[in-house]
Short mmCIF file of all heavy atoms in Angstrom, two decimals:
data_model
loop_
_atom_site.label_atom_id
_atom_site.label_comp_id
_atom_site.label_asym_id
_atom_site.label_seq_id
_atom_site.Cartn_x
_atom_site.Cartn_y
_atom_site.Cartn_z
N ARG A 1 15.52 194.67 -44.61
CA ARG A 1 16.69 193.80 -44.48
C ARG A 1 17.73 194.13 -45.54
O ARG A 1 17.40 194.33 -46.71
CB ARG A 1 16.27 192.34 -44.60
CG ARG A 1 17.43 191.36 -44.52
CD ARG A 1 16.98 189.92 -44.76
NE ARG A 1 16.14 189.43 -43.67
CZ ARG A 1 15.79 188.15 -43.53
NH1 ARG A 1 16.19 187.25 -44.44
NH2 ARG A 1 15.03 187.78 -42.52
N SER A 2 18.99 194.18 -45.12
CA SER A 2 20.07 194.37 -46.08
C SER A 2 20.11 193.19 -47.06
O SER A 2 19.83 192.05 -46.69
CB SER A 2 21.42 194.46 -45.35
OG SER A 2 21.45 195.56 -44.49
N LYS A 3 20.46 193.48 -48.29
CA LYS A 3 20.58 192.42 -49.29
C LYS A 3 21.72 191.48 -48.91
O LYS A 3 22.70 191.89 -48.28
CB LYS A 3 20.86 193.03 -50.67
CG LYS A 3 19.84 194.07 -51.12
CD LYS A 3 18.46 193.44 -51.32
CE LYS A 3 17.49 194.43 -51.96
NZ LYS A 3 17.13 195.54 -51.04
N SER A 4 21.59 190.23 -49.33
CA SER A 4 22.57 189.21 -48.95
C SER A 4 23.98 189.58 -49.41
O SER A 4 24.95 189.42 -48.65
CB SER A 4 22.16 187.86 -49.53
OG SER A 4 23.10 186.88 -49.20
N ASP A 5 24.11 190.09 -50.65
CA ASP A 5 25.45 190.43 -51.13
C ASP A 5 26.05 191.60 -50.36
O ASP A 5 27.26 191.69 -50.17
CB ASP A 5 25.44 190.71 -52.64
CG ASP A 5 24.49 191.82 -53.05
OD1 ASP A 5 23.70 192.29 -52.20
OD2 ASP A 5 24.53 192.21 -54.24
N ARG A 6 25.18 192.50 -49.87
CA ARG A 6 25.67 193.63 -49.06
C ARG A 6 26.18 193.13 -47.71
O ARG A 6 27.22 193.56 -47.20
CB ARG A 6 24.52 194.64 -48.86
CG ARG A 6 24.89 195.80 -47.94
CD ARG A 6 25.53 196.97 -48.67
NE ARG A 6 26.74 196.74 -49.40
CZ ARG A 6 27.97 196.94 -48.93
NH1 ARG A 6 28.15 197.37 -47.71
NH2 ARG A 6 29.00 196.75 -49.69
N VAL A 7 25.44 192.18 -47.12
CA VAL A 7 25.86 191.59 -45.84
C VAL A 7 27.21 190.90 -46.00
O VAL A 7 28.12 191.06 -45.18
CB VAL A 7 24.81 190.60 -45.31
CG1 VAL A 7 25.30 189.91 -44.04
CG2 VAL A 7 23.48 191.32 -45.03
N GLN A 8 27.36 190.13 -47.08
CA GLN A 8 28.61 189.40 -47.31
C GLN A 8 29.77 190.36 -47.55
O GLN A 8 30.89 190.14 -47.06
CB GLN A 8 28.45 188.45 -48.49
CG GLN A 8 27.45 187.32 -48.25
CD GLN A 8 27.80 186.46 -47.04
OE1 GLN A 8 28.97 186.21 -46.79
NE2 GLN A 8 26.79 186.01 -46.31
N ALA A 9 29.53 191.44 -48.29
CA ALA A 9 30.59 192.43 -48.53
C ALA A 9 31.01 193.11 -47.23
O ALA A 9 32.20 193.35 -46.98
CB ALA A 9 30.11 193.47 -49.55
N PHE A 10 30.02 193.43 -46.39
CA PHE A 10 30.27 194.05 -45.09
C PHE A 10 31.11 193.10 -44.23
O PHE A 10 32.10 193.52 -43.60
CB PHE A 10 28.92 194.33 -44.43
CG PHE A 10 28.95 195.29 -43.28
CD1 PHE A 10 28.70 196.64 -43.47
CD2 PHE A 10 29.19 194.85 -41.98
CE1 PHE A 10 28.68 197.53 -42.40
CE2 PHE A 10 29.19 195.72 -40.91
CZ PHE A 10 28.93 197.06 -41.12
N ALA A 11 30.73 191.82 -44.23
CA ALA A 11 31.45 190.81 -43.44
C ALA A 11 32.89 190.68 -43.92
O ALA A 11 33.82 190.54 -43.11
CB ALA A 11 30.72 189.47 -43.53
N ARG A 12 33.09 190.73 -45.24
CA ARG A 12 34.45 190.58 -45.78
C ARG A 12 35.36 191.73 -45.34
O ARG A 12 36.53 191.52 -45.03
CB ARG A 12 34.42 190.52 -47.32
CG ARG A 12 34.09 189.14 -47.86
CD ARG A 12 34.41 189.04 -49.34
NE ARG A 12 33.69 190.02 -50.14
CZ ARG A 12 32.46 189.84 -50.62
NH1 ARG A 12 31.81 188.71 -50.36
NH2 ARG A 12 31.88 190.77 -51.35
N LEU A 13 34.81 192.94 -45.32
CA LEU A 13 35.61 194.09 -44.88
C LEU A 13 36.08 193.91 -43.44
O LEU A 13 37.25 194.17 -43.11
CB LEU A 13 34.80 195.38 -45.01
CG LEU A 13 34.66 195.95 -46.43
CD1 LEU A 13 33.64 197.08 -46.44
CD2 LEU A 13 36.00 196.45 -46.95
N LEU A 14 35.18 193.45 -42.57
CA LEU A 14 35.56 193.23 -41.18
C LEU A 14 36.58 192.10 -41.07
O LEU A 14 37.59 192.22 -40.36
CB LEU A 14 34.32 192.91 -40.33
CG LEU A 14 33.26 194.00 -40.19
CD1 LEU A 14 32.09 193.50 -39.34
CD2 LEU A 14 33.83 195.27 -39.59
N ALA A 15 36.31 191.00 -41.77
CA ALA A 15 37.20 189.85 -41.71
C ALA A 15 38.59 190.18 -42.26
O ALA A 15 39.61 189.77 -41.70
CB ALA A 15 36.59 188.67 -42.46
N ASP A 16 38.62 190.93 -43.35
CA ASP A 16 39.91 191.30 -43.95
C ASP A 16 40.74 192.19 -43.02
O ASP A 16 41.96 192.26 -43.14
CB ASP A 16 39.70 192.01 -45.30
CG ASP A 16 39.22 191.07 -46.39
OD1 ASP A 16 39.28 189.83 -46.18
OD2 ASP A 16 38.77 191.56 -47.44
N ALA A 17 40.05 192.86 -42.09
CA ALA A 17 40.74 193.69 -41.11
C ALA A 17 41.18 192.87 -39.89
O ALA A 17 41.71 193.42 -38.93
CB ALA A 17 39.84 194.84 -40.67
N GLY A 18 40.93 191.56 -39.94
CA GLY A 18 41.35 190.68 -38.86
C GLY A 18 40.35 190.53 -37.74
O GLY A 18 40.69 190.01 -36.67
N ILE A 19 39.11 190.95 -37.97
CA ILE A 19 38.06 190.83 -36.95
C ILE A 19 37.22 189.59 -37.25
O ILE A 19 36.68 189.45 -38.35
CB ILE A 19 37.16 192.08 -36.93
CG1 ILE A 19 38.00 193.32 -36.58
CG2 ILE A 19 36.02 191.91 -35.93
CD1 ILE A 19 37.25 194.63 -36.74
N VAL A 20 37.12 188.67 -36.29
CA VAL A 20 36.31 187.47 -36.48
C VAL A 20 34.86 187.89 -36.70
O VAL A 20 34.29 188.63 -35.89
CB VAL A 20 36.41 186.53 -35.26
CG1 VAL A 20 35.47 185.34 -35.42
CG2 VAL A 20 37.86 186.07 -35.07
N THR A 21 34.28 187.43 -37.79
CA THR A 21 32.94 187.87 -38.17
C THR A 21 32.12 186.68 -38.65
O THR A 21 32.59 185.88 -39.45
CB THR A 21 33.01 188.92 -39.30
OG1 THR A 21 33.84 190.01 -38.87
CG2 THR A 21 31.63 189.46 -39.65
N THR A 22 30.90 186.57 -38.14
CA THR A 22 29.98 185.55 -38.60
C THR A 22 28.67 186.21 -39.03
O THR A 22 28.35 187.31 -38.58
CB THR A 22 29.67 184.53 -37.49
OG1 THR A 22 29.11 185.22 -36.35
CG2 THR A 22 30.92 183.80 -37.03
N VAL A 23 27.95 185.55 -39.90
CA VAL A 23 26.61 186.00 -40.29
C VAL A 23 25.64 185.00 -39.70
O VAL A 23 25.71 183.80 -39.99
CB VAL A 23 26.46 186.06 -41.82
CG1 VAL A 23 25.02 186.48 -42.18
CG2 VAL A 23 27.46 187.04 -42.42
N ARG A 24 24.77 185.48 -38.83
CA ARG A 24 23.86 184.58 -38.14
C ARG A 24 22.90 183.93 -39.12
O ARG A 24 22.27 184.61 -39.93
CB ARG A 24 23.07 185.31 -37.06
CG ARG A 24 22.09 184.38 -36.32
CD ARG A 24 21.34 185.10 -35.22
NE ARG A 24 22.23 185.47 -34.12
CZ ARG A 24 21.82 186.15 -33.05
NH1 ARG A 24 20.57 186.56 -32.97
NH2 ARG A 24 22.67 186.46 -32.09
N LYS A 25 22.80 182.61 -39.03
CA LYS A 25 21.82 181.88 -39.81
C LYS A 25 20.45 182.13 -39.21
O LYS A 25 20.24 181.97 -38.01
CB LYS A 25 22.14 180.39 -39.81
CG LYS A 25 21.19 179.54 -40.61
CD LYS A 25 21.58 178.06 -40.53
CE LYS A 25 20.60 177.20 -41.31
NZ LYS A 25 20.93 175.75 -41.19
N THR A 26 19.51 182.56 -40.03
CA THR A 26 18.17 182.83 -39.53
C THR A 26 17.45 181.52 -39.24
O THR A 26 17.34 180.66 -40.11
CB THR A 26 17.36 183.66 -40.55
OG1 THR A 26 18.03 184.91 -40.74
CG2 THR A 26 15.95 183.93 -40.04
N ARG A 27 16.99 181.36 -38.01
CA ARG A 27 16.28 180.16 -37.60
C ARG A 27 14.89 180.54 -37.12
O ARG A 27 14.70 181.53 -36.43
CB ARG A 27 17.03 179.44 -36.46
CG ARG A 27 18.43 178.96 -36.80
CD ARG A 27 18.38 177.77 -37.75
NE ARG A 27 17.64 176.67 -37.19
CZ ARG A 27 18.16 175.70 -36.43
NH1 ARG A 27 19.46 175.72 -36.13
NH2 ARG A 27 17.42 174.71 -35.96
N GLY A 28 13.90 179.72 -37.49
CA GLY A 28 12.56 179.89 -36.95
C GLY A 28 11.79 181.08 -37.47
O GLY A 28 10.79 181.48 -36.87
N ASP A 29 12.23 181.67 -38.61
CA ASP A 29 11.52 182.86 -39.07
C ASP A 29 10.13 182.55 -39.60
O ASP A 29 9.26 183.42 -39.65
CB ASP A 29 12.33 183.64 -40.11
CG ASP A 29 12.76 182.81 -41.30
OD1 ASP A 29 12.65 181.57 -41.23
OD2 ASP A 29 13.19 183.40 -42.30
N ASP A 30 9.88 181.26 -39.95
CA ASP A 30 8.54 180.89 -40.42
C ASP A 30 7.53 180.84 -39.28
O ASP A 30 6.32 180.76 -39.51
CB ASP A 30 8.58 179.55 -41.18
CG ASP A 30 9.14 178.41 -40.35
OD1 ASP A 30 9.97 178.67 -39.43
OD2 ASP A 30 8.76 177.24 -40.60
N ILE A 31 8.00 180.87 -38.03
CA ILE A 31 7.09 180.91 -36.88
C ILE A 31 7.33 182.17 -36.04
O ILE A 31 7.00 182.23 -34.86
CB ILE A 31 7.22 179.65 -35.99
CG1 ILE A 31 8.67 179.46 -35.52
CG2 ILE A 31 6.72 178.41 -36.72
CD1 ILE A 31 8.85 178.38 -34.44
N ASP A 32 7.94 183.19 -36.67
CA ASP A 32 8.27 184.46 -35.99
C ASP A 32 9.08 184.22 -34.72
O ASP A 32 8.83 184.84 -33.67
CB ASP A 32 6.99 185.24 -35.65
CG ASP A 32 6.31 185.79 -36.89
OD1 ASP A 32 7.01 185.97 -37.90
OD2 ASP A 32 5.09 186.03 -36.85
N ALA A 33 10.06 183.33 -34.83
CA ALA A 33 10.91 183.02 -33.68
C ALA A 33 12.34 183.49 -33.88
O ALA A 33 13.21 183.20 -33.07
CB ALA A 33 10.91 181.51 -33.41
#
């Protein structure tokens, strides 16, 4: 998995270019869902 700060930096580059960008919140990973 990419580090959290790397994901956020990647997202900022896309957003700064005017591309709507979200980071999916991980749900259910404690039950492999």
Side-chain angles (χ1 to χ4, degrees):
R1 178 184 292 190
S2 298
K3 305 295 188 291
S4 179
D5 57 352
R6 175 88 301 264
V7 175
Q8 295 301 323
F10 197 94
R12 278 194 302 274
L13 283 170
L14 296 179
D16 289 347
I19 299 171
V20 175
T21 304
T22 58
V23 178
R24 179 178 292 177
K25 181 181 178 182
T26 299
R27 298 289 301 271
D29 55 347
D30 58 332
I31 56 169
D32 290 336

